[in-house]
Amino acid sequence: MDIRLCFENKSGVKIDEASVFRHYAENYLAGFQVEWGGSISIPHRDTHTSQMEPLWQYYIRDASQPCRDYLIEYLNRNPMAGYFVHIYEVRPGLDDTKIH
């Protein structure tokens, strides 16, 4: 399975420059093999804030079940300052499933 991580900024936090956010997120996700995915809009029912702005995204390709489980545990133990992190399982031929 592939995993998509989407980063929604909390109120008062906004990084508009992709290179700045990439530096921040890649340090936060050090230890995971992530791939930059640019920006994306996710369904409004999945967001925490009222704004409909694009979110930054990363992928973990061909993630194992232990990688998925550790990622969720890592995010719960070590929340990213200033951002809500949404995680989706991406399976070919199926709709993405939100898992966090």
Side-chain angles (χ1 to χ4, degrees):
M1 92 188 90
D2 289 347
I3 295 175
R4 180 181 332 144
L5 296 95
C6 298
F7 297 85
E8 174 186 2
N9 60 294
K10 293 180 180 177
S11 180
V13 175
K14 186 169 184 168
I15 300 176
D16 287 334
E17 177 57 43
S19 62
V20 174
F21 181 80
R22 287 182 72 172
H23 177 75
Y24 181 45
E26 289 170 11
N27 280 299
Y28 175 70
L29 296 169
F32 295 97
Q33 293 182 352
V34 294
E35 173 188 325
W36 173 246
S39 64
I40 187 171
S41 293
I42 64 173
H44 186 64
R45 68 181 178 275
D46 288 351
T47 62
H48 294 278
T49 58
S50 61
Q51 58 211 34
M52 284 296 294
E53 296 183 16
L55 283 65
W56 299 115
Q57 69 177 337
Y58 276 89
Y59 286 96
I60 299 176
R61 302 288 185 189
D62 299 318
S64 65
Q65 187 68 38
C67 175
R68 174 194 182 274
D69 295 344
Y70 181 70
L71 176 64
I72 293 170
E73 187 272 328
Y74 173 76
L75 294 175
N76 288 331
R77 180 175 35 88
N78 184 30
M80 185 177 194
Y83 285 84
F84 299 107
V85 183
H86 306 274
I87 304 175
Y88 295 86
E89 281 186 3
V90 180
R91 295 186 185 266
L94 300 173
D95 288 341
D96 296 357
T97 304
K98 185 169 183 176
I99 59 173
H100 182 271

